[in-house]
Amino acid sequence: MSEDRRSDDYPLARRDVVRQITEGQDDLLVIAGLGSTAWDVTAAGDRDLNFPLWGAMGGAVAMGLGLALAQPERRVLVITGDGEALMGMGSLATAAMQAPANLSIVIIDNERYGETGMQITHTAGTTDLAAVAAACGIPVTGLVLNQAELDAALPVILEATGPVLHVVKVRAKKLDFVLPPKDGVHLKNRFRRALLGAEAVI
Amino acid sequence: MNWWQDIFGAFKANDVAMVAYVPDAGHSALIEACVADNEIRAVPLTTEEEGVALLAGAWLGGAKGVLLMQSSGVGNCINMLSLAATCRFPLPLFVTMRGQWHEFNPWQFPMGQTAEAQLNTAAVETMTAAAAEDVAPMAAATLDMAYSGGGMAALLLHQSLSPVKTFDQGGGK
């Protein structure tokens, strides 16, 4: 096995990781990046306070930042993939500058582009996204490689004063699709209705 | 009153809570006013497309935002505009134009010439303020089309509204 295929053997499974993070967190506001992480949050249970993206690659962190600034009393979780995060790396600098205490970012890093044929991303090579986040000024960052490290990271992801960013290394494995609704207006309206009430739907 | 104060007044009249921007000479006084306002969160971006996603998230959370840029920033936004288009997120843009009036930098011509067409192709409604007295009614209309109409609307501020920019150092260069 070549060095850039090391994620074939990582111990953590992405759907187990996402389920462990979101299970029982009924008040959590979730933005999921396009592709596999949108399917992961849906496999853990489709809910009105999930906003799974089907496009807008590179926008998940910025969208989570806007939500976190607008809802400072609520925990906001951005779950996205390494490819999506690489496309929006500047938004880590923007999020660090705004420093919302309620924003948590989890990058589910399988070192591949899952929707286009499992080609390797830059994280299979030289790029360390947790180090990038730390260098941008995200005050709490972590790298999670196994279940013990995930157990330790969970309370930080869900409760620590943020912004917080964890890179969770997961096994590169193509999984069955678990698709959320794809109509964007529906996703927006159900989220705002659940968060702000029926009068928030125009 | 300067035209930027008309834009700021429209922001306040609409309870705008977030102003996202990449620093820009034409918008500098407006940006300073937004930074100084206690009810507005001013968010500097690394690239304009971040602002499209940022404002979508803000709207999900119940906050109204606007995005400021110059014409070159329009090109940085094109794919991210699909987020606002597909989900019908309100998106008001205020664009200072380059490449159309005493422009000294030919590298500004391409986006100056194509920004409006690109916005229209991406389904963003546009109007151009060519004189200072246009700005107040057009700023109000732009915000109304976004927040009441639930659409994407851009006010293009003609370059003649901004001071002529040169790199002259006083030595006749």
Side-chain angles (χ1 to χ4, degrees):
Chain A
M1 187 184 72
S2 65
E3 175 65 17
D4 63 13
R5 299 275 151 177
R6 66 197 169 193
S7 62
D8 287 345
D9 293 325
Y10 286 162
L12 289 171
R14 58 185 309 136
R15 297 234 167 120
D16 289 346
V17 170
V18 172
R19 190 179 302 276
Q20 287 180 65
I21 295 169
T22 59
E23 200 159 49
Q25 300 296 322
D26 294 341
D27 292 335
L28 199 61
L29 309 181
V30 178
I31 306 288
L34 86 170
S36 298
T37 45
W39 322 150
D40 294 337
V41 300
T42 306
D46 186 40
R47 51 201 279 283
D48 289 352
L49 294 175
N50 284 359
F51 197 95
L53 290 155
W54 285 75
M57 187 165 178
V61 168
M63 193 168 179
L65 173 62
L67 178 57
L69 293 174
Q71 287 288 326
E73 305 303 319
R74 298 289 289 260
R75 192 73 175 182
V76 173
L77 175 66
V78 174
I79 301 184
T80 193
D82 44 305
E84 204 275 346
L86 283 164
M87 193 172 281
M89 240 163 39
S91 60
L92 297 175
T94 298
M97 287 286 285
Q98 294 303 312
N102 58 327
L103 177 63
S104 191
I105 300 162
V106 174
I107 298 173
I108 302 293
D109 183 3
N110 68 349
E111 305 179 358
R112 305 291 172 85
Y113 291 102
E115 302 306 309
T116 57
M118 298 297 272
Q119 300 93 340
I120 61 167
T121 68
H122 294 28
T123 65
T126 52
T127 302
D128 176 347
L129 285 169
V132 170
C136 286
I138 303 281
V140 181
T141 61
L143 177 65
V144 173
L145 298 172
N146 54 47
Q147 185 61 48
E149 291 176 357
L150 182 62
D151 290 340
L154 284 174
V156 181
I157 291 167
L158 293 169
E159 293 161 20
T161 299
V164 173
L165 182 143
H166 286 78
V167 172
V168 183
K169 292 286 188 178
V170 299
R171 189 155 59 247
K173 185 181 179 199
K174 196 73 185 149
L175 301 171
D176 290 340
F177 293 116
V178 182
L179 302 180
K182 71 175 75 165
D183 181 76
V185 176
H186 168 70
L187 291 167
K188 176 192 67 176
N189 285 340
R190 75 175 191 174
F191 193 105
R192 279 174 57 93
R193 188 182 294 112
L195 178 62
L196 305 168
E199 67 277 8
V201 177
I202 64 170
Chain B
M1 199 157 87
N2 288 310
W3 58 263
W4 68 264
Q5 292 173 303
D6 291 327
I7 298 178
F8 186 71
F11 291 175
K12 298 302 293 179
N14 279 273
D15 298 320
V16 168
M18 196 176 299
V19 175
Y21 61 95
V22 173
D24 168 49
H27 277 315
S28 58
L30 176 61
I31 290 169
E32 286 171 20
C34 293
V35 169
D37 191 282
N38 289 332
E39 294 166 332
I40 292 176
R41 182 75 173 222
V43 181
L45 311 166
T46 70
T47 178
E48 291 82 356
E49 67 175 306
E50 286 175 9
V52 178
L54 182 90
L55 298 192
W59 183 259
L60 276 188
K64 294 177 183 172
V66 300
L67 176 55
L68 313 181
M69 67 183 72
Q70 66 172 243
S71 41
S72 53
V74 170
N76 292 347
C77 290
I78 296 297
N79 180 56
M80 202 60 75
L81 291 173
S82 66
L83 171 63
T86 308
C87 305
R88 291 211 297 273
F89 281 113
L91 184 66
L93 310 177
F94 289 78
V95 184
T96 53
M97 295 301 294
R98 297 287 303 271
Q100 60 182 189
W101 185 260
H102 291 283
E103 178 62 65
F104 80 109
N105 181 351
W107 297 63
Q108 292 286 352
F109 289 177
M111 284 309 303
Q113 289 162 356
T114 64
E116 183 165 26
Q118 294 198 36
L119 286 166
N120 292 155
T121 302
V124 180
E125 294 291 333
T126 54
M127 58 189 103
T128 295
E133 59 265 29
D134 296 340
V135 174
M138 288 187 176
T142 298
L143 294 174
D144 209 32
M145 288 169 72
Y147 302 137
S148 290
M152 302 184 290
L155 175 55
L156 310 184
L157 297 150
H158 196 275
Q159 191 173 8
S160 61
L161 293 171
S162 299
V164 174
K165 180 177 180 178
T166 72
F167 281 160
D168 284 350
Q169 305 289 332
K173 295 191 189 79

